[in-house]
Each structure stands twice: as C-alpha cells, then as structure tokens.
Amino acid sequence: MEDIVTIKDVRKTYADGFEALKGISLNIKEGEILALLGPNGAGKTTLISAICGIARLSSGSVTVGGFDIISQYRKARSLIGLVPQEIALDPFARVMHAVRFTRGVFGKRKNDAYLEELLKKLSLWDKRSSQLNTLSGGMRRRVMIAKALSHEPRILFLDEPTAGVDVELRRDMWKTVAALKATGVTIILTTHFIEEAEAMADRVGVIMNGRLLLVQEKNQLMQQMGQKELEIQLNEPIATIPSDLVEYGLELINNGRSLVYRYDRNRTRKGIRKLLADVSAAGLVMQDLKTRQSSLEDIFVDLIAAAETRDLA
C-alpha cells in the first residue's frame, strides 16, 4: 500500500509556551485503519487538527495525497473527512439537508444518488427526513460520519468516535468502520477504548506528552510485546515455591493456591511440559491449568508506564 498521509517532524507550540507536539513523524498507508492511543492531553486531537489544517504547525510538514496542507490547502482538505469528538449539528436541520449542505460546502455537485447510498450504508435512510434533535446520540454520531463522507473523501478522521455511546452501539459502529474500510477509505481514529483499537485497527500508534512512542502493526505489536501466562492451580496451598522450581521465575498467588508462569507466546510447549513435570516431581498436585494472553490494553499500560518513568528520570 502507498502512503496517503506523510507527516515529517511536526511540532506545535502554543502562545503560552506549551509544546503539544514534539517532532512527530508518521506515514499513513492508503486503505488502512490506524488507531492513535494515548491519555488525555497526549496530543492526539492536536495532531489530527494539524493534519486537517485546523491547527497551524509551528514547524514540520504534512502532505495529504501528495498535497501540502499549507500551500495546497484546498486540494489536501478535499481529500479529508473529519468527525470531531464533540457532536456539532444544527438541531433543527433534517438529516438529508445537513448532509447535502456539507457536500455543497466542499464544492461538490449535487448527487442525491450517492447520498442515498451513503445514508443506507449508515442505517440512516429511514431517518433522512427527521430533525436532528429527534435522533439518539448514536444516530447523531452516524450523521456526523455521513457529513464527513458527503464529499467523497479518501481519508476519514474519527476523533473518539464512540464517546458517550453504549456498548451495543459501539460495536455497531465498529461494523460501520469496517464497511467503510472495505470501500477503500483510509481511517485514522483516536480512542480511549483499547478494545476498539484491538477490534478494528491494522496498526496502532501510541502518543504521550506530544511524542509518538511507536507505530506498529497490531498483530506484530501483540506478538512482540505480549506475554502469555500459565496459572497452575494446586490441590493444596503452599507457603513457598520449592527450590527445584525457582529457575522458572514463578509467582505464588491466591494465598499459595496457584503458581503463575509467564512466557513468550512463541515459545514451544516443550518448556511448559518440562515445567509441569518438575511441578509434579516437587510433590505438588495440580488441580487445574488456566492460560491468559496479554491484551493490547496490557501492552498500552506498560508502554505508558515506561514512558512516564523515562520522563521522570
């Protein structure tokens, strides 16, 4: 896949001296879903605003589809659809009118056939004549997406797309995003929901304190940084780990009723078989075995903790 967005050494410093972005460089591939994770104030929204030409850069450069966002702003912006975190809609406008109006703002010719198809994909066609103030929060969020896609952009930015949306609607939104990707739209989303990134993203970027800590394919990230745990539940509790098992680095939990072994998920089962044999040889009777694989959330928390430690050092 070719790069559709190129970000080079982007910095943003506000008038009060606060440095929101500290030299971020990033290439976004056409047709991918990139999730940007980070705590509040990390710089996620500022980065999106910079790419969309809303926030002026202090230094660095951004191109969208080969167009510079400053010197070729109109051409670059025409390729972008933006769904901001806050829902900002005219409460008395009707759905079709609102979407049609946004298409006109971008100078696109009237094309109600395209808008009809778009509203149907977003399950909004039955609401096309409804006033926006009569819609649920989830439906209004869909209208925001429809407006962002009304001018047929190649890139869609979603800033906290499921904020304030219940679990059922959130998962429904995931399906909507997956369907958009299938049409070739490049999607960049910011989220606080780790499960959202894990469910949808092709790549994950982690931002903290205005710095991009990493960008990596989600599956590769989890494979390289994720751990797997084996919990060995014992028939009887023990006070200490037998000396013959010390080499495995086991942890004693549940008041001595379980041993936890942490290992690389790519490790062969040969080492685990030996561990279990040594547990039996040490005179311990196993009651049950449980495995747990680290999630993207575990990895994210570890990365943030490591970054905070570096900043404090």
PDB file of all heavy atoms in Angstrom, residues 247-281:
ATOM      1  N   GLU A 247      14.072 -21.718  39.223  1.00  0.00           N
ATOM      2  CA  GLU A 247      14.603 -21.315  37.915  1.00  0.00           C
ATOM      3  C   GLU A 247      13.528 -20.839  36.937  1.00  0.00           C
ATOM      4  O   GLU A 247      13.804 -20.113  35.982  1.00  0.00           O
ATOM      5  CB  GLU A 247      15.367 -22.480  37.275  1.00  0.00           C
ATOM      6  CG  GLU A 247      14.481 -23.674  36.959  1.00  0.00           C
ATOM      7  CD  GLU A 247      15.222 -24.798  36.252  1.00  0.00           C
ATOM      8  OE1 GLU A 247      15.588 -24.602  35.072  1.00  0.00           O
ATOM      9  OE2 GLU A 247      15.415 -25.864  36.873  1.00  0.00           O
ATOM     10  N   TYR A 248      12.270 -21.191  37.203  1.00  0.00           N
ATOM     11  CA  TYR A 248      11.188 -20.818  36.288  1.00  0.00           C
ATOM     12  C   TYR A 248      10.637 -19.411  36.555  1.00  0.00           C
ATOM     13  O   TYR A 248       9.827 -18.910  35.773  1.00  0.00           O
ATOM     14  CB  TYR A 248      10.042 -21.832  36.388  1.00  0.00           C
ATOM     15  CG  TYR A 248      10.400 -23.193  35.831  1.00  0.00           C
ATOM     16  CD1 TYR A 248      10.739 -24.250  36.675  1.00  0.00           C
ATOM     17  CD2 TYR A 248      10.409 -23.433  34.458  1.00  0.00           C
ATOM     18  CE1 TYR A 248      11.056 -25.509  36.178  1.00  0.00           C
ATOM     19  CE2 TYR A 248      10.731 -24.685  33.948  1.00  0.00           C
ATOM     20  CZ  TYR A 248      11.062 -25.714  34.807  1.00  0.00           C
ATOM     21  OH  TYR A 248      11.375 -26.947  34.299  1.00  0.00           O
ATOM     22  N   GLY A 249      11.075 -18.783  37.636  1.00  0.00           N
ATOM     23  CA  GLY A 249      10.591 -17.440  37.947  1.00  0.00           C
ATOM     24  C   GLY A 249       9.104 -17.393  38.241  1.00  0.00           C
ATOM     25  O   GLY A 249       8.401 -16.461  37.829  1.00  0.00           O
ATOM     26  N   LEU A 250       8.597 -18.393  38.927  1.00  0.00           N
ATOM     27  CA  LEU A 250       7.174 -18.487  39.212  1.00  0.00           C
ATOM     28  C   LEU A 250       6.739 -17.463  40.258  1.00  0.00           C
ATOM     29  O   LEU A 250       7.525 -17.020  41.093  1.00  0.00           O
ATOM     30  CB  LEU A 250       6.823 -19.893  39.716  1.00  0.00           C
ATOM     31  CG  LEU A 250       7.178 -21.059  38.787  1.00  0.00           C
ATOM     32  CD1 LEU A 250       6.963 -22.388  39.492  1.00  0.00           C
ATOM     33  CD2 LEU A 250       6.332 -20.996  37.517  1.00  0.00           C
ATOM     34  N   GLU A 251       5.453 -17.108  40.212  1.00  0.00           N
ATOM     35  CA  GLU A 251       4.863 -16.221  41.222  1.00  0.00           C
ATOM     36  C   GLU A 251       3.781 -16.994  41.967  1.00  0.00           C
ATOM     37  O   GLU A 251       2.960 -17.682  41.362  1.00  0.00           O
ATOM     38  CB  GLU A 251       4.252 -14.980  40.578  1.00  0.00           C
ATOM     39  CG  GLU A 251       3.618 -14.025  41.584  1.00  0.00           C
ATOM     40  CD  GLU A 251       2.941 -12.848  40.917  1.00  0.00           C
ATOM     41  OE1 GLU A 251       3.005 -12.735  39.670  1.00  0.00           O
ATOM     42  OE2 GLU A 251       2.314 -12.037  41.651  1.00  0.00           O
ATOM     43  N   LEU A 252       3.787 -16.881  43.293  1.00  0.00           N
ATOM     44  CA  LEU A 252       2.813 -17.567  44.124  1.00  0.00           C
ATOM     45  C   LEU A 252       1.658 -16.615  44.426  1.00  0.00           C
ATOM     46  O   LEU A 252       1.860 -15.512  44.941  1.00  0.00           O
ATOM     47  CB  LEU A 252       3.481 -18.016  45.431  1.00  0.00           C
ATOM     48  CG  LEU A 252       2.734 -19.021  46.312  1.00  0.00           C
ATOM     49  CD1 LEU A 252       2.463 -20.315  45.546  1.00  0.00           C
ATOM     50  CD2 LEU A 252       3.528 -19.299  47.583  1.00  0.00           C
ATOM     51  N   ILE A 253       0.426 -17.004  44.056  1.00  0.00           N
ATOM     52  CA  ILE A 253      -0.734 -16.134  44.256  1.00  0.00           C
ATOM     53  C   ILE A 253      -1.876 -16.919  44.905  1.00  0.00           C
ATOM     54  O   ILE A 253      -1.741 -18.118  45.173  1.00  0.00           O
ATOM     55  CB  ILE A 253      -1.222 -15.522  42.918  1.00  0.00           C
ATOM     56  CG1 ILE A 253      -1.693 -16.616  41.962  1.00  0.00           C
ATOM     57  CG2 ILE A 253      -0.113 -14.695  42.267  1.00  0.00           C
ATOM     58  CD1 ILE A 253      -2.401 -16.094  40.718  1.00  0.00           C
ATOM     59  N   ASN A 254      -2.993 -16.214  45.128  1.00  0.00           N
ATOM     60  CA  ASN A 254      -4.206 -16.838  45.694  1.00  0.00           C
ATOM     61  C   ASN A 254      -3.915 -17.577  46.995  1.00  0.00           C
ATOM     62  O   ASN A 254      -4.325 -18.724  47.185  1.00  0.00           O
ATOM     63  CB  ASN A 254      -4.858 -17.797  44.681  1.00  0.00           C
ATOM     64  CG  ASN A 254      -5.370 -17.095  43.446  1.00  0.00           C
ATOM     65  OD1 ASN A 254      -5.635 -15.900  43.466  1.00  0.00           O
ATOM     66  ND2 ASN A 254      -5.496 -17.832  42.340  1.00  0.00           N
ATOM     67  N   ASN A 255      -3.182 -16.853  47.865  1.00  0.00           N
ATOM     68  CA  ASN A 255      -2.857 -17.436  49.189  1.00  0.00           C
ATOM     69  C   ASN A 255      -2.169 -18.796  49.066  1.00  0.00           C
ATOM     70  O   ASN A 255      -2.440 -19.726  49.847  1.00  0.00           O
ATOM     71  CB  ASN A 255      -4.133 -17.578  50.037  1.00  0.00           C
ATOM     72  CG  ASN A 255      -4.768 -16.237  50.352  1.00  0.00           C
ATOM     73  OD1 ASN A 255      -4.057 -15.281  50.682  1.00  0.00           O
ATOM     74  ND2 ASN A 255      -6.082 -16.165  50.266  1.00  0.00           N
ATOM     75  N   GLY A 256      -1.277 -18.880  48.089  1.00  0.00           N
ATOM     76  CA  GLY A 256      -0.488 -20.091  47.937  1.00  0.00           C
ATOM     77  C   GLY A 256      -1.159 -21.195  47.160  1.00  0.00           C
ATOM     78  O   GLY A 256      -0.620 -22.304  47.049  1.00  0.00           O
ATOM     79  N   ARG A 257      -2.311 -20.935  46.583  1.00  0.00           N
ATOM     80  CA  ARG A 257      -3.041 -21.991  45.877  1.00  0.00           C
ATOM     81  C   ARG A 257      -2.741 -22.035  44.378  1.00  0.00           C
ATOM     82  O   ARG A 257      -3.193 -22.938  43.681  1.00  0.00           O
ATOM     83  CB  ARG A 257      -4.549 -21.820  46.091  1.00  0.00           C
ATOM     84  CG  ARG A 257      -4.980 -22.122  47.516  1.00  0.00           C
ATOM     85  CD  ARG A 257      -6.495 -22.088  47.657  1.00  0.00           C
ATOM     86  NE  ARG A 257      -6.897 -22.501  48.996  1.00  0.00           N
ATOM     87  CZ  ARG A 257      -7.059 -23.771  49.385  1.00  0.00           C
ATOM     88  NH1 ARG A 257      -6.845 -24.747  48.523  1.00  0.00           N
ATOM     89  NH2 ARG A 257      -7.425 -24.049  50.607  1.00  0.00           N
ATOM     90  N   SER A 258      -1.988 -21.030  43.871  1.00  0.00           N
ATOM     91  CA  SER A 258      -1.690 -21.014  42.434  1.00  0.00           C
ATOM     92  C   SER A 258      -0.270 -20.552  42.180  1.00  0.00           C
ATOM     93  O   SER A 258       0.247 -19.666  42.875  1.00  0.00           O
ATOM     94  CB  SER A 258      -2.657 -20.082  41.688  1.00  0.00           C
ATOM     95  OG  SER A 258      -3.980 -20.561  41.735  1.00  0.00           O
ATOM     96  N   LEU A 259       0.340 -21.137  41.148  1.00  0.00           N
ATOM     97  CA  LEU A 259       1.637 -20.705  40.644  1.00  0.00           C
ATOM     98  C   LEU A 259       1.413 -20.089  39.266  1.00  0.00           C
ATOM     99  O   LEU A 259       0.681 -20.651  38.445  1.00  0.00           O
ATOM    100  CB  LEU A 259       2.596 -21.891  40.526  1.00  0.00           C
ATOM    101  CG  LEU A 259       3.021 -22.568  41.834  1.00  0.00           C
ATOM    102  CD1 LEU A 259       3.714 -23.897  41.526  1.00  0.00           C
ATOM    103  CD2 LEU A 259       3.950 -21.663  42.629  1.00  0.00           C
ATOM    104  N   VAL A 260       2.046 -18.942  39.003  1.00  0.00           N
ATOM    105  CA  VAL A 260       1.904 -18.277  37.715  1.00  0.00           C
ATOM    106  C   VAL A 260       3.242 -18.295  36.993  1.00  0.00           C
ATOM    107  O   VAL A 260       4.266 -17.877  37.538  1.00  0.00           O
ATOM    108  CB  VAL A 260       1.410 -16.830  37.879  1.00  0.00           C
ATOM    109  CG1 VAL A 260       1.377 -16.124  36.521  1.00  0.00           C
ATOM    110  CG2 VAL A 260       0.021 -16.810  38.512  1.00  0.00           C
ATOM    111  N   TYR A 261       3.209 -18.761  35.745  1.00  0.00           N
ATOM    112  CA  TYR A 261       4.394 -18.822  34.899  1.00  0.00           C
ATOM    113  C   TYR A 261       4.158 -17.914  33.701  1.00  0.00           C
ATOM    114  O   TYR A 261       3.172 -18.059  32.969  1.00  0.00           O
ATOM    115  CB  TYR A 261       4.622 -20.269  34.441  1.00  0.00           C
ATOM    116  CG  TYR A 261       5.752 -20.464  33.462  1.00  0.00           C
ATOM    117  CD1 TYR A 261       7.036 -19.996  33.738  1.00  0.00           C
ATOM    118  CD2 TYR A 261       5.546 -21.149  32.261  1.00  0.00           C
ATOM    119  CE1 TYR A 261       8.072 -20.200  32.831  1.00  0.00           C
ATOM    120  CE2 TYR A 261       6.569 -21.362  31.360  1.00  0.00           C
ATOM    121  CZ  TYR A 261       7.835 -20.878  31.652  1.00  0.00           C
ATOM    122  OH  TYR A 261       8.861 -21.080  30.763  1.00  0.00           O
ATOM    123  N   ARG A 262       5.056 -16.938  33.473  1.00  0.00           N
ATOM    124  CA  ARG A 262       4.938 -16.007  32.353  1.00  0.00           C
ATOM    125  C   ARG A 262       5.980 -16.353  31.296  1.00  0.00           C
ATOM    126  O   ARG A 262       7.154 -16.503  31.622  1.00  0.00           O
ATOM    127  CB  ARG A 262       5.107 -14.565  32.838  1.00  0.00           C
ATOM    128  CG  ARG A 262       4.011 -14.136  33.807  1.00  0.00           C
ATOM    129  CD  ARG A 262       4.179 -12.705  34.274  1.00  0.00           C
ATOM    130  NE  ARG A 262       3.086 -12.312  35.157  1.00  0.00           N
ATOM    131  CZ  ARG A 262       3.060 -12.524  36.458  1.00  0.00           C
ATOM    132  NH1 ARG A 262       4.090 -13.110  37.045  1.00  0.00           N
ATOM    133  NH2 ARG A 262       2.019 -12.150  37.180  1.00  0.00           N
ATOM    134  N   TYR A 263       5.531 -16.402  30.045  1.00  0.00           N
ATOM    135  CA  TYR A 263       6.442 -16.803  28.983  1.00  0.00           C
ATOM    136  C   TYR A 263       6.037 -16.153  27.668  1.00  0.00           C
ATOM    137  O   TYR A 263       4.916 -15.666  27.505  1.00  0.00           O
ATOM    138  CB  TYR A 263       6.472 -18.329  28.826  1.00  0.00           C
ATOM    139  CG  TYR A 263       5.149 -18.961  28.484  1.00  0.00           C
ATOM    140  CD1 TYR A 263       4.855 -19.343  27.184  1.00  0.00           C
ATOM    141  CD2 TYR A 263       4.186 -19.183  29.472  1.00  0.00           C
ATOM    142  CE1 TYR A 263       3.645 -19.927  26.866  1.00  0.00           C
ATOM    143  CE2 TYR A 263       2.974 -19.765  29.170  1.00  0.00           C
ATOM    144  CZ  TYR A 263       2.709 -20.138  27.865  1.00  0.00           C
ATOM    145  OH  TYR A 263       1.502 -20.711  27.555  1.00  0.00           O
ATOM    146  N   ASP A 264       6.990 -16.161  26.729  1.00  0.00           N
ATOM    147  CA  ASP A 264       6.750 -15.635  25.381  1.00  0.00           C
ATOM    148  C   ASP A 264       5.753 -16.542  24.686  1.00  0.00           C
ATOM    149  O   ASP A 264       5.879 -17.765  24.709  1.00  0.00           O
ATOM    150  CB  ASP A 264       8.087 -15.621  24.613  1.00  0.00           C
ATOM    151  CG  ASP A 264       7.962 -14.932  23.256  1.00  0.00           C
ATOM    152  OD1 ASP A 264       7.033 -15.282  22.508  1.00  0.00           O
ATOM    153  OD2 ASP A 264       8.800 -14.064  22.966  1.00  0.00           O
ATOM    154  N   ARG A 265       4.745 -15.931  24.025  1.00  0.00           N
ATOM    155  CA  ARG A 265       3.702 -16.728  23.379  1.00  0.00           C
ATOM    156  C   ARG A 265       4.247 -17.592  22.249  1.00  0.00           C
ATOM    157  O   ARG A 265       3.612 -18.547  21.827  1.00  0.00           O
ATOM    158  CB  ARG A 265       2.588 -15.822  22.856  1.00  0.00           C
ATOM    159  CG  ARG A 265       2.971 -14.996  21.661  1.00  0.00           C
ATOM    160  CD  ARG A 265       1.806 -14.143  21.200  1.00  0.00           C
ATOM    161  NE  ARG A 265       1.467 -13.158  22.197  1.00  0.00           N
ATOM    162  CZ  ARG A 265       0.346 -12.443  22.171  1.00  0.00           C
ATOM    163  NH1 ARG A 265      -0.524 -12.640  21.234  1.00  0.00           N
ATOM    164  NH2 ARG A 265       0.108 -11.546  23.102  1.00  0.00           N
ATOM    165  N   ASN A 266       5.430 -17.258  21.716  1.00  0.00           N
ATOM    166  CA  ASN A 266       6.017 -18.033  20.624  1.00  0.00           C
ATOM    167  C   ASN A 266       6.851 -19.206  21.121  1.00  0.00           C
ATOM    168  O   ASN A 266       7.351 -19.994  20.345  1.00  0.00           O
ATOM    169  CB  ASN A 266       6.895 -17.134  19.753  1.00  0.00           C
ATOM    170  CG  ASN A 266       6.076 -16.096  19.009  1.00  0.00           C
ATOM    171  OD1 ASN A 266       5.018 -16.408  18.505  1.00  0.00           O
ATOM    172  ND2 ASN A 266       6.568 -14.876  18.959  1.00  0.00           N
ATOM    173  N   ARG A 267       7.002 -19.289  22.431  1.00  0.00           N
ATOM    174  CA  ARG A 267       7.824 -20.349  22.997  1.00  0.00           C
ATOM    175  C   ARG A 267       7.169 -21.709  22.751  1.00  0.00           C
ATOM    176  O   ARG A 267       5.949 -21.846  22.801  1.00  0.00           O
ATOM    177  CB  ARG A 267       7.986 -20.114  24.497  1.00  0.00           C
ATOM    178  CG  ARG A 267       9.042 -20.990  25.147  1.00  0.00           C
ATOM    179  CD  ARG A 267       9.386 -20.416  26.509  1.00  0.00           C
ATOM    180  NE  ARG A 267      10.378 -21.209  27.188  1.00  0.00           N
ATOM    181  CZ  ARG A 267      11.000 -20.810  28.277  1.00  0.00           C
ATOM    182  NH1 ARG A 267      10.726 -19.623  28.795  1.00  0.00           N
ATOM    183  NH2 ARG A 267      11.883 -21.564  28.867  1.00  0.00           N
ATOM    184  N   THR A 268       7.977 -22.713  22.510  1.00  0.00           N
ATOM    185  CA  THR A 268       7.436 -24.042  22.250  1.00  0.00           C
ATOM    186  C   THR A 268       6.879 -24.640  23.532  1.00  0.00           C
ATOM    187  O   THR A 268       7.232 -24.242  24.641  1.00  0.00           O
ATOM    188  CB  THR A 268       8.542 -24.982  21.709  1.00  0.00           C
ATOM    189  OG1 THR A 268       9.537 -25.154  22.719  1.00  0.00           O
ATOM    190  CG2 THR A 268       9.186 -24.392  20.461  1.00  0.00           C
ATOM    191  N   ARG A 269       5.997 -25.594  23.374  1.00  0.00           N
ATOM    192  CA  ARG A 269       5.380 -26.241  24.527  1.00  0.00           C
ATOM    193  C   ARG A 269       6.350 -27.186  25.253  1.00  0.00           C
ATOM    194  O   ARG A 269       6.030 -27.689  26.328  1.00  0.00           O
ATOM    195  CB  ARG A 269       4.134 -27.015  24.084  1.00  0.00           C
ATOM    196  CG  ARG A 269       3.016 -26.082  23.643  1.00  0.00           C
ATOM    197  CD  ARG A 269       1.718 -26.855  23.443  1.00  0.00           C
ATOM    198  NE  ARG A 269       0.630 -25.951  23.181  1.00  0.00           N
ATOM    199  CZ  ARG A 269      -0.107 -25.355  24.125  1.00  0.00           C
ATOM    200  NH1 ARG A 269       0.188 -25.571  25.394  1.00  0.00           N
ATOM    201  NH2 ARG A 269      -1.104 -24.570  23.800  1.00  0.00           N
ATOM    202  N   LYS A 270       7.521 -27.404  24.672  1.00  0.00           N
ATOM    203  CA  LYS A 270       8.484 -28.302  25.317  1.00  0.00           C
ATOM    204  C   LYS A 270       8.858 -27.795  26.701  1.00  0.00           C
ATOM    205  O   LYS A 270       8.916 -28.550  27.675  1.00  0.00           O
ATOM    206  CB  LYS A 270       9.734 -28.445  24.441  1.00  0.00           C
ATOM    207  CG  LYS A 270      10.782 -29.388  25.004  1.00  0.00           C
ATOM    208  CD  LYS A 270      11.951 -29.508  24.052  1.00  0.00           C
ATOM    209  CE  LYS A 270      13.018 -30.440  24.615  1.00  0.00           C
ATOM    210  NZ  LYS A 270      14.191 -30.554  23.705  1.00  0.00           N
ATOM    211  N   GLY A 271       9.087 -26.458  26.826  1.00  0.00           N
ATOM    212  CA  GLY A 271       9.445 -25.891  28.117  1.00  0.00           C
ATOM    213  C   GLY A 271       8.321 -25.989  29.115  1.00  0.00           C
ATOM    214  O   GLY A 271       8.555 -26.203  30.321  1.00  0.00           O
ATOM    215  N   ILE A 272       7.074 -25.878  28.646  1.00  0.00           N
ATOM    216  CA  ILE A 272       5.926 -25.960  29.541  1.00  0.00           C
ATOM    217  C   ILE A 272       5.753 -27.394  30.040  1.00  0.00           C
ATOM    218  O   ILE A 272       5.455 -27.623  31.218  1.00  0.00           O
ATOM    219  CB  ILE A 272       4.652 -25.474  28.808  1.00  0.00           C
ATOM    220  CG1 ILE A 272       4.815 -24.002  28.404  1.00  0.00           C
ATOM    221  CG2 ILE A 272       3.421 -25.640  29.697  1.00  0.00           C
ATOM    222  CD1 ILE A 272       3.715 -23.481  27.531  1.00  0.00           C
ATOM    223  N   ARG A 273       5.954 -28.351  29.154  1.00  0.00           N
ATOM    224  CA  ARG A 273       5.849 -29.757  29.564  1.00  0.00           C
ATOM    225  C   ARG A 273       6.878 -30.082  30.645  1.00  0.00           C
ATOM    226  O   ARG A 273       6.578 -30.803  31.610  1.00  0.00           O
ATOM    227  CB  ARG A 273       6.030 -30.678  28.352  1.00  0.00           C
ATOM    228  CG  ARG A 273       4.844 -30.680  27.383  1.00  0.00           C
ATOM    229  CD  ARG A 273       4.873 -31.911  26.488  1.00  0.00           C
ATOM    230  NE  ARG A 273       6.082 -31.943  25.667  1.00  0.00           N
ATOM    231  CZ  ARG A 273       6.166 -31.410  24.451  1.00  0.00           C
ATOM    232  NH1 ARG A 273       5.115 -30.782  23.931  1.00  0.00           N
ATOM    233  NH2 ARG A 273       7.277 -31.493  23.759  1.00  0.00           N
ATOM    234  N   LYS A 274       8.074 -29.540  30.491  1.00  0.00           N
ATOM    235  CA  LYS A 274       9.120 -29.784  31.494  1.00  0.00           C
ATOM    236  C   LYS A 274       8.737 -29.141  32.822  1.00  0.00           C
ATOM    237  O   LYS A 274       8.937 -29.729  33.891  1.00  0.00           O
ATOM    238  CB  LYS A 274      10.463 -29.235  31.017  1.00  0.00           C
ATOM    239  CG  LYS A 274      11.631 -29.534  31.959  1.00  0.00           C
ATOM    240  CD  LYS A 274      12.943 -29.056  31.373  1.00  0.00           C
ATOM    241  CE  LYS A 274      14.117 -29.468  32.238  1.00  0.00           C
ATOM    242  NZ  LYS A 274      14.012 -29.014  33.632  1.00  0.00           N
ATOM    243  N   LEU A 275       8.182 -27.929  32.758  1.00  0.00           N
ATOM    244  CA  LEU A 275       7.745 -27.253  33.980  1.00  0.00           C
ATOM    245  C   LEU A 275       6.713 -28.095  34.714  1.00  0.00           C
ATOM    246  O   LEU A 275       6.817 -28.314  35.929  1.00  0.00           O
ATOM    247  CB  LEU A 275       7.151 -25.881  33.639  1.00  0.00           C
ATOM    248  CG  LEU A 275       6.342 -25.200  34.760  1.00  0.00           C
ATOM    249  CD1 LEU A 275       7.234 -24.878  35.960  1.00  0.00           C
ATOM    250  CD2 LEU A 275       5.657 -23.938  34.244  1.00  0.00           C
ATOM    251  N   LEU A 276       5.709 -28.581  33.990  1.00  0.00           N
ATOM    252  CA  LEU A 276       4.651 -29.364  34.622  1.00  0.00           C
ATOM    253  C   LEU A 276       5.204 -30.668  35.220  1.00  0.00           C
ATOM    254  O   LEU A 276       4.775 -31.099  36.297  1.00  0.00           O
ATOM    255  CB  LEU A 276       3.546 -29.670  33.606  1.00  0.00           C
ATOM    256  CG  LEU A 276       2.799 -28.446  33.039  1.00  0.00           C
ATOM    257  CD1 LEU A 276       1.740 -28.875  32.047  1.00  0.00           C
ATOM    258  CD2 LEU A 276       2.181 -27.617  34.165  1.00  0.00           C
ATOM    259  N   ALA A 277       6.163 -31.236  34.510  1.00  0.00           N
ATOM    260  CA  ALA A 277       6.786 -32.463  35.040  1.00  0.00           C
ATOM    261  C   ALA A 277       7.545 -32.147  36.321  1.00  0.00           C
ATOM    262  O   ALA A 277       7.498 -32.924  37.300  1.00  0.00           O
ATOM    263  CB  ALA A 277       7.728 -33.066  33.995  1.00  0.00           C
ATOM    264  N   ASP A 278       8.248 -30.994  36.348  1.00  0.00           N
ATOM    265  CA  ASP A 278       9.018 -30.615  37.537  1.00  0.00           C
ATOM    266  C   ASP A 278       8.106 -30.249  38.701  1.00  0.00           C
ATOM    267  O   ASP A 278       8.457 -30.472  39.874  1.00  0.00           O
ATOM    268  CB  ASP A 278       9.942 -29.441  37.210  1.00  0.00           C
ATOM    269  CG  ASP A 278      11.114 -29.855  36.331  1.00  0.00           C
ATOM    270  OD1 ASP A 278      11.339 -31.073  36.193  1.00  0.00           O
ATOM    271  OD2 ASP A 278      11.795 -28.957  35.786  1.00  0.00           O
ATOM    272  N   VAL A 279       6.926 -29.667  38.386  1.00  0.00           N
ATOM    273  CA  VAL A 279       5.962 -29.361  39.449  1.00  0.00           C
ATOM    274  C   VAL A 279       5.509 -30.653  40.128  1.00  0.00           C
ATOM    275  O   VAL A 279       5.446 -30.748  41.360  1.00  0.00           O
ATOM    276  CB  VAL A 279       4.745 -28.590  38.889  1.00  0.00           C
ATOM    277  CG1 VAL A 279       3.608 -28.526  39.911  1.00  0.00           C
ATOM    278  CG2 VAL A 279       5.147 -27.177  38.486  1.00  0.00           C
ATOM    279  N   SER A 280       5.214 -31.668  39.320  1.00  0.00           N
ATOM    280  CA  SER A 280       4.802 -32.963  39.870  1.00  0.00           C
ATOM    281  C   SER A 280       5.939 -33.613  40.645  1.00  0.00           C
ATOM    282  O   SER A 280       5.735 -34.182  41.726  1.00  0.00           O
ATOM    283  CB  SER A 280       4.339 -33.897  38.737  1.00  0.00           C
ATOM    284  OG  SER A 280       3.183 -33.390  38.117  1.00  0.00           O
ATOM    285  N   ALA A 281       7.169 -33.501  40.102  1.00  0.00           N
ATOM    286  CA  ALA A 281       8.332 -34.093  40.770  1.00  0.00           C
ATOM    287  C   ALA A 281       8.598 -33.434  42.113  1.00  0.00           C
ATOM    288  O   ALA A 281       9.178 -34.067  43.024  1.00  0.00           O
ATOM    289  CB  ALA A 281       9.558 -33.977  39.873  1.00  0.00           C
TER     290      ALA A 281
END
